[in-house]
Structure formats: C-alpha cells, structure tokens
Amino acid sequence: MLFLTLGMWLVMLVDFSRLQHLVKSSRLWTFWTGATTNFLLIYSLFYFDTLDKMPLLFTAYGLFILATIGGLLLSPRLKKTSYWWFAFPGATLGLILSLLPTDWYYLAGLFIACLFCSTINAFIWPFYKQDATIPPLNTRFVRQNFNILGTVASQVTLISLLIITNFLFNLHGRQILHAYYAHVPDQGLGQPLWITRLVCVILLVIVAAILIKRKLPRIFNKSE
C-alpha cells in the first residue's frame, strides 16, 4: 500500500502535463479539492486528538462547515468580478498558512483553504452539466467519483506518511495509530505530525501550482 501510494504521487507529479490532456481540468480540480479538504479534516482528527486538544478539533470542524457554506455564498459574487481567479491560488495560500507556527495559524489556513475549495467546486460545477460526454443522469456521479478518488489518495498518503515519520523519529510505526485509536495523548508525536503535515502540503501545493499554471487561463472556456 505504501509503495502504491508513493508510486501514484510520483506518476502524477512527473507526468501531470500528459494527464491534463487526457482528463479535463474540472475533474482534476475536483480531485484536488477532495484531496485537500479530506486531508485537512483527517489530519485535524489525528493531530488534535493525539495531542489532547479536543476543543481545537471541534473548532476545526466548525470552521470547515462555515468555510463550506461561505464558499457557496461567495462563489456567485466572486465570479461576477475580475477577481474570480484568486480562488485558485487562495486555496493554495491557505495550505501554506497552515504550516506556520501555532495551532491558530493552522486553523486559519484550514478555514481559508476550505473556503476557496468550496468556491472552486461551485465554479466548476457548470462544466459538468455542460459536458456532452456525460449522460445527464450521471453528472453528479462523475463529479463524486473524482472527489472520492482525491479523498482516498489523501487518506492513504496521510496514513502512510504518519507511519513512516513516526518510525523515523520513534522507531515505532504504529505508535501514532495506537495513540489515536486508544485515545491516549502522546506529546512526543508532535514532530512526526508536523513533518507529515509539511510533506502533504508540499504535494498538494505542487499539484495545485501545475494546475493553475496550465489550466487556469482556460477554466472558464466553455469549449474545454
């Protein structure tokens, strides 16, 4: 499973330009937003539960709900302006902000990233409905399929990296999973959790940068 995950990300990063010619950008953005939001939610669960910060975990989930609703409300207003494009790098900036010291920076980054991910999903939904290659009754299914693919990719990557980093620092690959499942706080897991967050954010930012560079100028081109 570990090597399969690493191989998947390697193929995506090395041959992403070819992938973009085969898969429409709306699908790739759905994959990315699914991977991003799922990473932030699952990581928050591991991070705050393992370090015994349950009030912040509830705060993180509350911010996610507010960000999702806020993105849906923001998207029609933003799309009418010349600043609609900021949603794409904005989600990336939220991820970068989550790496700064203190938990409050992480929560702020989570909120910003999820807010713009929700906005991006609202932006690209019309492309699914206008896509003649998708049967009318399968539109939501196709979008959900790519969202699930992103979710699975982020979960497998996150858990794999948690095991690897914990083994490198503590010579115990399952310690962090035990702390989570048994609800036993372990402050010694702070460093592995931080390294895992860093690597996951780097992967997500790289993919987003490639998508923005190659597809952003055409995202509202209905002929795509």
Side-chain angles (χ1 to χ4, degrees):
M1 183 67 73
L2 172 60
F3 291 108
L4 178 62
T5 303
L6 296 178
M8 175 190 66
W9 279 104
L10 182 62
V11 170
M12 287 186 61
L13 296 177
V14 172
D15 205 25
F16 211 72
S17 59
R18 174 179 168 80
L19 181 62
Q20 290 179 92
H21 292 297
L22 299 175
V23 182
K24 296 185 178 182
S25 62
S26 56
R27 274 70 151 182
L28 295 177
W29 276 113
T30 299
F31 176 91
W32 187 85
T33 55
T36 299
T37 54
N38 184 263
F39 156 69
L40 291 170
L41 287 176
I42 302 301
Y43 179 84
S44 297
L45 188 60
F46 272 102
Y47 180 72
F48 292 124
D49 189 30
T50 301
L51 300 183
D52 196 23
K53 299 180 179 181
M54 294 304 293
L56 292 181
L57 174 61
F58 297 137
T59 301
Y61 277 40
L63 289 175
F64 169 76
I65 295 172
L66 291 176
T68 301
I69 297 173
L72 295 175
L73 297 176
L74 178 64
S75 59
R77 299 173 181 271
L78 196 61
K79 193 172 180 180
K80 294 178 181 179
T81 72
S82 58
Y83 299 104
W84 60 265
W85 58 269
F86 185 73
F88 298 88
T92 305
L93 290 175
L95 286 171
I96 296 174
L97 179 63
S98 72
L99 294 177
L100 296 180
T102 80
D103 295 332
W104 295 108
Y105 277 116
Y106 171 76
L107 291 172
L110 178 148
F111 177 80
I112 294 172
C114 291
L115 174 71
F116 286 119
C117 280
S118 177
T119 303
I120 292 170
N121 283 327
F123 280 167
I124 64 179
W125 172 235
F127 290 95
Y128 285 93
K129 295 191 293 184
Q130 297 163 6
D131 193 338
T133 64
I134 304 176
L137 297 179
N138 291 350
T139 306
R140 294 185 182 278
F141 174 79
V142 172
R143 183 177 70 163
Q144 188 63 17
N145 182 53
F146 280 89
N147 180 69
I148 292 174
L149 287 175
T151 296
V152 172
S154 68
Q155 286 185 6
V156 174
T157 302
L158 173 59
I159 294 174
S160 299
L161 288 172
L162 283 172
I163 294 174
I164 292 173
T165 55
N166 188 49
F167 179 79
L168 293 176
F169 280 88
N170 298 317
L171 300 180
H172 195 315
R174 298 182 180 180
Q175 182 182 8
I176 198 165
L177 298 178
H178 173 74
Y180 167 70
Y181 288 115
H183 300 287
V184 178
D186 190 338
Q187 298 299 322
L189 296 174
Q191 192 70 10
L193 284 164
W194 157 248
I195 297 298
T196 297
R197 187 200 311 181
L198 176 64
V199 175
C200 286
V201 167
I202 288 174
L203 288 172
L204 290 168
V205 169
I206 290 174
V207 174
I210 297 173
L211 275 173
I212 291 171
K213 179 180 178 181
R214 295 182 179 273
K215 286 294 185 179
L216 184 55
R218 295 166 49 195
I219 192 68
F220 285 117
N221 181 359
K222 295 183 180 181
S223 64
E224 182 193 3

